[in-house]
Amino acid sequence: MSDSTSAVSTSIVSEIFKYANHVVLFFLSLPLAQRLSIIILAPFVYNLSYQFLYSLRKDRPPLVFYWIPWVGSAVSYGTKPYEFFGDCQKKYGDIFSFVLLGRVMTVYLGPKGHEFIFNAKLADVSAEAAYTHLTTPVFGKGVIYDVPNSRLMDQKRFVKGALSSDAFRLYVPLFVEEMEKYLKNSKNFKFNENDSGKVDVMVTQPEMTIFTASRTLLGKELRDKLDTDFAYLFTDLDRGFTPLNFVWPNIPLENTRRRDNAQRVISNTYLSLIRERRANNDIQDRDLIDSLMKNSTYKDGTKMTDQEIANLLIGVLMGGQHTSAATSAWALLHLAERPDVQQELYEEQMRVLDNGKKELTFDLLEQMPLLNQMLKEVLRLHHPLHSLFRKVMRNIQVPNTSYVVPKGYYVLVSPGYTHLQEEYFPQPTTFNLHRWDNDSASSYANGEQVDYGFGAISKGVSSPYLPFGGGRHRCIGEHYAYAQLGTIMSVFIRNFKWKFPDPSQTVPKSDFTSMVTLPTGPAHIVWEKRHPGQKL
Ligand code: HEM
Ligand SMILES: *[C@@H]1O[C@H](CO)[C@@H](O)[C@H](O)[C@H]1NC(C)=O
Ligand SMILES: *[C@@H]1O[C@H](CO)[C@@H](O)[C@H](O)[C@H]1NC(C)=O
Ligand SMILES: *[C@@H]1O[C@H](CO)[C@@H](O)[C@H](O)[C@H]1NC(C)=O
Ligand SMILES: *[C@@H]1O[C@H](CO)[C@@H](O)[C@H](O)[C@H]1NC(C)=O
């Protein structure tokens, strides 16, 4: 820089200081009330000017108008996301951005949005940057979103070792055993003593899910621990798994302390069992622990530590717990309204199980299209995850538009919204399992395939029906979930008829504010044995 330019810039700086000084003195000369109102109004004025200038940019998706700085559209999005998306779609089209607690979220609705976000390039978007604050304190270090994507792809491959058809052949009888034990022992049913009763599906379904999942994926020892005080730790862990933690992962509350304690104790308990099996050279093909003990060496030769294996167990169980529990709860509620569908499903059970003479098996479950279509329809109406996110790591051009989504924004995809659009699913809010009569597979399976490191999956993700997501972060629990949910529902359908306590009642509304979309509780059903006096 030459002397003259630096002299000029020095004088500009001193002019700015003088000017700022005048502004400050003027501000201080104002009466207190005016000073306060300026302090309060300034962010709003700034916010409105920012939104006005933003609206002039042709290279940005339209920004949803908001009044309150930082908070943005958090209330309307957070309480009724699908209504919010629908309103925005009418005003702005399929692509728009909104402010959510200091972040800018760019939404792309519909099948093209599925493709844009689920199949975005690895270097362009990051799931770990979007989710790690929420998940890492709950799962623990070194797994899922606390590792680079290539490690996650390997971990998903390791887990798939315990999610094969051969494994499901072992699991289905164990699911049945757990269900029967639950019906007999739970104070909610007391099957052998009572012919009827009333239960809250928001209590029973999470319990059935954790018992069946633990028995199969973690083995008998850890399942049995759930009948002890150990079970409370899962409640503590769950309470630390809320959308609040996205924003304040370590908010100094009692819940956070209990979450961290639960993570430590649970993962150390899993670790002890892993060490015990190693010490006894007792590694078989029973459960997920066995398969991770056999198969957890990354492609580059690094081995997962036993602590990381323990943390991965927490992550996988957590991934399946809320999604499956919500799905069977919704299934029970929809069927409560439809005795005709219960009857249809019952007839299918009797046909395939030879009037109850055959025990349920994985292979027989696969011969029950109506049961699978019922689950498929429930997942259409109630996608457990209304929004999926990625953080934008590099500016990305939105194909066929003038929009660029800049680094630092988040992109949001919502297959659950697409599931409810008339153009893809006629009479979208009607529960109709026959809409899948020619298509009972749980997800689309045709077309070109791709392998990101955890097995071949469909390359295209522009299907309007994506309950399990798509691309490199696609769910690996789909077939496990169908086996587990199919068994739970088969046991219900064969043993009970059920309805709402009050005949005028209908399926509860969705509560979108927790981690998965749940029925607004309490969600009671009244059950009655199909065969009064029957014992298990
Ligand atoms: C009805 C049940 C389930 C539904 C609807 C469901 C849905 C999903 C969805 C939508 C994703 C993609 C997330 C994203 O793109 O951000 C996903 C990923 C995943 N799910 Fe599931 N899931 C279910 C059950 C399960 C079960 C039972 C397990 C484990 C046994 C599981 C394990 C996983 C894992 C490991 C991922 C990968 C996460 C990633 O790669 O980023 N899920 N699931
Ligand atoms: C590890 O798991 C993958 C995926 O299930 C499988 O292809 C591979 O054979 C397994 N390796 C071992 C050593 O079991
Ligand atoms: C089962 O029946 C007993 C009496 O036979 C009753 O006290 C109890 O509340 C019933 N339990 C349920 C879950 O309905
Ligand atoms: C972009 O437009 C072209 C021509 O209309 C079309 O073939 C292509 O599928 C569009 N791409 C996307 C991602 O929408
Ligand atoms: C299923 O396929 C048959 C024969 O192609 C057709 O008549 C029927 O309408 C289809 N059902 C549905 C629900 O699409």
Side-chain angles (χ1 to χ4, degrees):
M1 215 193 275
S2 75
D3 281 359
S4 62
T5 50
S6 96
V8 168
S9 51
T10 315
S11 84
I12 289 175
V13 169
S14 76
E15 282 304 308
I16 290 173
F17 269 108
K18 257 191 245 165
Y19 179 72
N21 204 23
H22 284 303
V23 172
V24 171
L25 288 176
F26 172 71
F27 177 76
L28 291 175
S29 74
L30 293 172
L32 180 66
Q34 287 189 21
R35 271 189 272 161
L36 277 179
S37 42
I38 289 177
I39 290 173
I40 293 167
L41 288 177
F44 288 88
V45 173
Y46 171 81
N47 169 33
L48 295 178
S49 331
Y50 169 83
Q51 291 189 61
F52 174 71
L53 292 172
Y54 191 103
S55 72
L56 300 176
R57 297 188 64 156
K58 292 288 161 259
D59 62 339
R60 292 283 180 265
L63 185 64
V64 177
F65 179 80
Y66 60 102
W67 285 105
I68 309 175
W70 193 78
V71 173
S73 310
V75 175
S76 38
Y77 165 71
T79 53
K80 294 181 170 170
Y82 295 154
E83 271 178 40
F84 173 74
F85 293 156
D87 291 346
C88 294
Q89 192 175 36
K90 279 197 206 95
K91 281 191 208 134
Y92 309 104
D94 291 344
I95 311 168
F96 52 87
S97 300
F98 70 95
V99 168
L100 175 66
L101 310 179
R103 293 138 216 249
V104 190
M105 322 297 295
T106 298
V107 183
Y108 195 158
L109 297 174
K112 284 187 177 153
H114 301 171
E115 198 69 47
F116 179 62
I117 295 168
F118 286 133
N119 269 352
K121 290 203 189 78
L122 182 57
D124 287 347
V125 302
S126 161
E128 58 275 24
Y131 296 142
T132 188
H133 298 299
L134 173 75
T135 56
T136 302
V138 177
F139 305 164
K141 297 231 165 269
V143 300
I144 315 271
Y145 302 120
D146 189 47
V147 289
N149 187 267
S150 60
R151 287 273 197 263
L152 172 60
M153 299 299 106
D154 280 349
Q155 291 175 1
K156 287 171 79 169
R157 176 164 43 86
F158 305 153
V159 174
K160 277 188 85 174
L163 305 177
S164 63
S165 295
D166 282 340
F168 301 153
R169 290 193 180 96
L170 293 178
Y171 297 166
V172 167
L174 296 173
F175 289 149
V176 173
E177 194 183 304
E178 283 298 328
M179 281 300 290
E180 295 187 343
K181 211 159 77 180
Y182 187 85
L183 294 181
K184 274 194 283 195
N185 300 337
S186 158
K187 63 179 187 316
N188 299 303
F189 290 93
K190 290 284 173 208
F191 193 89
N192 287 355
E193 288 122 72
N194 296 45
D195 279 348
S196 67
K198 179 172 142 182
V199 295
D200 182 348
V201 298
M202 293 310 296
V203 174
T204 55
Q205 296 325 104
E207 290 179 347
M208 288 179 190
T209 311
I210 197 169
F211 292 148
T212 48
S214 302
R215 177 63 188 86
T216 51
L217 296 176
L218 302 179
K220 184 164 185 346
E221 300 97 318
L222 292 175
R223 158 64 187 91
D224 287 345
K225 272 194 170 284
L226 291 177
D227 293 331
T228 69
D229 278 351
F230 187 68
Y232 290 107
L233 292 166
F234 289 91
T235 311
D236 286 351
L237 200 59
D238 269 353
R239 292 206 178 115
F241 196 55
T242 71
L244 190 73
N245 297 82
F246 267 120
V247 191
W248 296 286
N250 289 307
I251 185 168
L253 289 178
E254 179 65 5
N255 274 359
T256 308
R257 197 192 60 75
R258 295 177 83 99
R259 172 198 70 191
D260 293 345
N261 176 63
Q263 198 287 328
R264 246 186 331 268
V265 179
I266 294 172
S267 112
N268 286 336
T269 307
Y270 295 173
L271 183 61
S272 307
L273 181 69
I274 294 169
R275 292 197 171 140
E276 195 184 304
R277 287 193 188 179
R278 272 201 207 290
N280 298 330
N281 205 5
D282 175 23
I283 307 173
Q284 310 174 31
D285 286 308
R286 286 162 292 197
D287 48 34
L288 179 59
I289 301 184
D290 280 337
S291 57
L292 291 178
M293 289 180 71
K294 282 190 184 170
N295 202 348
S296 48
T297 305
Y298 293 116
K299 286 212 165 103
D300 66 8
T302 314
K303 285 185 159 62
M304 287 183 79
T305 65
D306 286 348
Q307 184 75 67
E308 286 165 349
I309 292 178
N311 293 349
L312 185 56
L313 294 171
I314 299 183
V316 170
L317 267 282
M318 199 59 133
Q321 173 63 25
H322 300 279
T323 45
S324 287
T327 305
S328 66
W330 283 117
L332 288 168
L333 295 167
H334 277 285
L335 294 177
E337 215 176 37
R338 296 293 299 272
D340 56 325
V341 182
Q342 286 182 44
Q343 186 59 30
E344 227 184 320
L345 292 168
Y346 180 70
E347 284 163 16
E348 179 182 68
Q349 294 296 307
M350 290 303 108
R351 197 166 58 243
V352 178
L353 298 178
D354 196 7
N355 287 315
K357 291 203 274 291
K358 287 186 186 160
E359 294 287 333
L360 187 68
T361 62
F362 176 63
D363 298 282
L364 290 172
L365 265 182
E366 296 211 303
Q367 294 168 34
M368 298 173 174
L370 284 180
L371 182 66
N372 290 320
Q373 283 168 237
M374 185 273 289
L375 295 171
K376 189 169 185 179
E377 180 68 344
V378 169
L379 284 169
R380 183 186 68 79
L381 284 166
H382 304 283
H383 197 302
L385 306 166
H386 64 71
S387 302
L388 300 162
F389 310 99
R390 307 285 184 258
K391 189 166 187 185
V392 178
M393 309 309 279
R394 272 196 328 205
N395 292 0
I396 32 180
Q397 172 80 45
V398 185
N400 294 351
T401 70
S402 63
Y403 305 144
V404 172
V405 187
K407 178 178 171 179
Y409 277 31
Y410 292 78
V411 282
L412 185 163
V413 60
S414 178
Y417 178 79
T418 315
H419 287 183
L420 299 173
Q421 301 311 301
E422 176 88 45
E423 58 181 311
Y424 307 109
F425 303 98
Q427 297 185 305
T429 55
T430 305
F431 173 76
N432 173 15
L433 49 76
H434 292 294
R435 72 171 77 237
W436 303 108
D437 276 353
N438 296 327
D439 186 12
S440 62
S442 54
S443 67
Y444 58 95
N446 41 8
E448 217 181 316
Q449 304 275 297
V450 60
D451 187 347
Y452 295 100
F454 58 89
I457 59 169
S458 169
K459 183 168 183 197
V461 293
S462 53
S463 164
Y465 183 73
L466 291 179
F468 298 98
R472 61 178 60 248
H473 292 284
R474 192 190 195 286
C475 189
I476 51 170
E478 169 179 352
H479 296 113
Y480 178 88
Y482 261 71
Q484 180 190 32
L485 290 166
T487 306
I488 292 175
M489 293 311 297
S490 162
V491 171
F492 263 97
I493 291 159
R494 283 183 281 135
N495 290 297
F496 301 121
K497 290 180 184 174
W498 64 96
K499 54 187 199 286
F500 289 123
D502 171 354
S504 68
Q505 233 173 310
T506 53
V507 177
K509 294 240 172 317
S510 296
D511 172 2
F512 294 102
T513 60
S514 62
M515 280 309 295
V516 301
T517 306
L518 298 173
T520 310
H524 287 113
I525 56 170
V526 173
W527 58 268
E528 153 194 356
K529 268 187 201 167
R530 271 193 182 266
H531 312 287
Q534 182 202 347
K535 293 201 190 323
L536 286 173

